[in-house]
């Protein structure tokens, strides 16, 4: 089998985003569907390639790169040679999200060729995965978080993750430069949530690298330990790895990082070697299904958790092919009061991650990534370019 074409289909999708305490007006975003064709009719698909999850399409520059240099390199190649492409693209310094999109469209292609859901092709391990409710940042006052956490608990979630206040003043509801960091408000928020949900809900905390100093990170970490939080995620700038080594040595609560540091498995293996985090973190836009799968194996060998970042089909398929002992949770969201996570987007017949009453999501069982696409919607809203 040979690759005969790589197509990137951009199409318009309405979106209401939650930003700084409120749900915004409806706008339009561009989603993309990357499609790899072969001479035998088999094809591979991948939705998205930017942003959080798989709902944000590739930008115009990325679309041009896939249709140009990437397409030229891959034409005539065997679509099952993913490992060859993966090494080729790393040494050719290909952008991480682009090599990831190609890797995942090729995994989708092979899984659908054999009529298997991707997790079964990878080696099935689970049909359902524990999920945590992952909030938007800047949802409102600590009381708003507390009410939301209680509602998530009532909905079935057993784990709630707080993204607190970034570059936004919770008292005035106005943007600010985040200097000093809002650590007093963040601590209030964590206390309010713990008080609202009781001691039997798992809680975790992610200030998304916004703490400016090591001392701020330690102060909040100590409070999270008192409140029995499960993990402390990405508290500081991830390029200053030495402060993470110090933080891990200082605190008992597990530090979960790196999230946004580039370099896929190579960066993350070095963090493990240096003792810069207690749990590792990666997602499918940092090396594709191939990269996350390798990272899970590295983590398993070291006895380190590999917590997969973001929602979406590919992450969930990977979790279906991994053990809870290594990759424990699926990140569901982002959530906030008024944000609808249950209605499928207009180009899909079903959401990827239906949640049951015990807080588990079911791994999609359709072939490949598990998309049930509404092609009429995609064609009707296609952007010509
Ligand atoms: Mg994070």
């Amino acid at each position: 089998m040979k690759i005969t074409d790589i197509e990137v289909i951009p199409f318009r999708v309405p979106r209401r985003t939650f930003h700084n305490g409120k749900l915004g007006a409806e706008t339009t975003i561009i989603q993309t569907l990357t499609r790899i064709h072969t001479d035998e009719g088999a094809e591979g698909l991948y939705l998205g390639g930017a942003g959080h999850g798989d709902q944000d399409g590739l930008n115009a520059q990325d679309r041009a790169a896939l249709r140009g240099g990437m397409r030229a390199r891959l034409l005539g190649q065997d679509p099952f040679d993913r490992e060859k492409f993966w090494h080729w693209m790393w040494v050719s310094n290909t952008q991480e999200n682009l090599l990831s999109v190609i890797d995942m469209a090729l995994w989708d292609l092979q899984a659908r060729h054999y009529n298997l859901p991707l997790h079964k092709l990878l080696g099935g391990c689970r049909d359902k995965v524990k999920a945590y409710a992952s909030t938007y940042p800047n949802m409102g006052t600590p009381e708003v978080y507390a009410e939301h956490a209680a509602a998530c608990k009532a909905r079935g979630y057993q784990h709630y993750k707080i993204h607190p206040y970034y570059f936004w003043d919770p008292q005035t509801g106005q943007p600010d430069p985040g200097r000093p960091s809002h650590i007093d408000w963040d601590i209030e928020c964590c206390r309010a949530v713990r008080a609202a949900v009781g001691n039997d809900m798992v809680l975790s905390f992610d200030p998304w690298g916004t703490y400016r100093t090591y001392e701020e990170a330690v102060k909040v970490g100590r409070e999270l330990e008192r409140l029995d939080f499960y993990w402390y995620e990405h508290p500081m700038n991830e390029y200053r790895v030495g402060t993470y080594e110090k933080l891990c040595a200082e605190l008992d609560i597990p530090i979960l990082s790196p999230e946004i540091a580039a370099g896929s498995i190579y960066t993350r293996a070095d963090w493990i070697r240096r003792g810069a985090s207690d749990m590792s973190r990666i997602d499918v836009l940092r090396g594709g299904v191939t990269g996350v799968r390798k990272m899970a194996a590295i983590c398993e060998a070291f006895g380190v958790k590999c917590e997969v970042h973001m929602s979406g089909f590919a992450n969930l398929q990977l979790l279906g092919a991994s053990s809870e002992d290594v990759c424990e949770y699926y990140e569901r969201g982002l959530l906030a009061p008024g944000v609808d996570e249950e209605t499928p987007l207009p180009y899909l017949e079903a959401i990827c991650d239906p949640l049951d009453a015990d807080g588990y999501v079911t791994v999609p069982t359709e072939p490949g990534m598990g998309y049930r696409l509404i092609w009429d919607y995609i064609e009707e809203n296609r952007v010509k370019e």
Side-chain angles (χ1 to χ4, degrees), residues 7-11 13 15 29-35 45-59 62-63 66 96-102 104-105 284-285 310-314 345 347-348 369 371 373 378:
E7 193 185 2
V8 187
I9 303 168
F11 58 99
V13 181
R15 163 85 55 90
I29 62 125
I30 302 290
Q31 169 65 303
T32 52
L33 183 65
T34 300
R35 189 182 198 181
L45 301 170
Y46 187 72
L47 278 168
H52 196 279
D54 48 20
Q55 301 179 4
D56 295 288
L58 294 162
N59 65 31
D62 288 353
R63 301 199 290 270
L66 282 186
E96 279 186 26
N97 67 321
L98 297 184
L99 76 86
S100 301
V101 166
I102 293 295
M104 290 190 279
V284 291
L285 293 182
M310 312 192 303
S311 57
F313 284 89
L345 290 162
Y347 53 90
L348 287 170
M369 290 291 168
Y371 303 145
L373 294 169
I378 294 171

Side-chain angles (χ1 to χ4, degrees), residues 51-97:
H52 196 279
D54 48 20
Q55 301 179 4
D56 295 288
L58 294 162
N59 65 31
Q61 200 178 357
D62 288 353
R63 301 199 290 270
L66 282 186
R67 291 172 183 141
M70 294 282 272
R71 179 178 177 277
R73 275 186 271 172
L74 293 173
L75 288 189
Q77 298 286 330
D78 182 335
F80 292 179
D81 286 353
R82 287 178 308 269
E83 190 67 21
K84 178 170 107 180
F85 303 143
W86 202 83
H87 286 271
W88 182 7
M89 291 185 208
W90 275 108
V91 296
S92 64
N93 207 19
T94 303
Q95 220 172 283
E96 279 186 26
N97 67 321

Side-chain angles (χ1 to χ4, degrees), residues 245-263:
E245 291 177 37
K246 215 161 67 155
L247 191 68
C248 277
E250 182 66 25
L251 294 178
D252 293 327
I253 185 171
I255 305 297
L256 174 62
S257 239
E259 176 175 299
I260 61 172

Side-chain angles (χ1 to χ4, degrees), residues 132 161 163 166 206 208 233-234 259-260 281 309 331:
Y132 61 89
K161 186 172 96 180
H163 287 110
Y166 320 152
D206 177 9
W208 202 64
E233 180 174 333
H234 180 198
E259 176 175 299
I260 61 172
R281 189 144 184 80
H309 171 228
E331 179 169 16

Side-chain angles (χ1 to χ4, degrees), residues 158-331:
Q158 296 178 40
H159 180 170
Y160 185 80
K161 186 172 96 180
I162 298 167
H163 287 110
Y165 305 111
Y166 320 152
F167 313 116
W168 187 74
D169 185 326
Q171 206 160 18
T172 64
Q174 296 300 314
D176 75 14
R179 178 79 198 153
S181 312
H182 296 298
I183 62 171
D184 293 341
W185 279 98
D186 292 353
I187 289 170
E188 275 314 303
C189 184
C190 292
R191 287 179 181 159
V193 167
R194 176 53 86 201
V197 301
N199 291 329
D200 60 341
M201 190 175 201
V202 178
L203 295 177
S204 53
F205 183 72
D206 177 9
W208 202 64
T210 55
Y211 291 160
R212 304 286 186 105
T213 68
Y214 169 76
E215 289 74 17
E216 289 175 331
V218 170
K219 185 174 179 188
V220 175
R222 293 252 182 271
E223 184 64 22
L224 297 176
E225 288 172 348
R226 277 190 284 273
L227 294 168
D228 194 27
F229 273 49
Y230 182 41
W231 75 58
Y232 186 15
E233 180 174 333
H234 180 198
M236 306 173 289
N237 175 350
E238 288 178 342
Y239 293 103
R240 196 170 59 192
V241 186
T243 50
Y244 273 90
E245 291 177 37
K246 215 161 67 155
L247 191 68
C248 277
E250 182 66 25
L251 294 178
D252 293 327
I253 185 171
I255 305 297
L256 174 62
S257 239
E259 176 175 299
I260 61 172
S264 189
I265 62 171
Y266 306 109
T267 308
R268 284 152 181 80
D270 199 45
W271 276 60
I272 293 172
R273 188 183 63 81
R274 294 174 66 168
S277 60
D278 302 294
M279 296 174 168
S280 196
R281 189 144 184 80
I282 193 167
D283 63 67
V284 291
L285 293 182
R286 304 203 175 275
V289 164
T290 299
V292 178
R293 196 179 190 213
K294 286 172 191 258
M295 196 63 224
I298 294 165
C299 286
E300 181 177 348
F302 281 103
V304 166
K305 284 267 167 70
C306 181
E307 280 303 327
V308 175
H309 171 228
M310 312 192 303
S311 57
F313 284 89
N315 278 329
L316 197 43
Q317 290 288 351
L318 271 157
L319 288 167
S322 67
S323 162
E324 185 173 298
D325 300 340
V326 182
C327 305
E328 191 170 358
Y329 284 100
Y330 173 75
E331 179 169 16

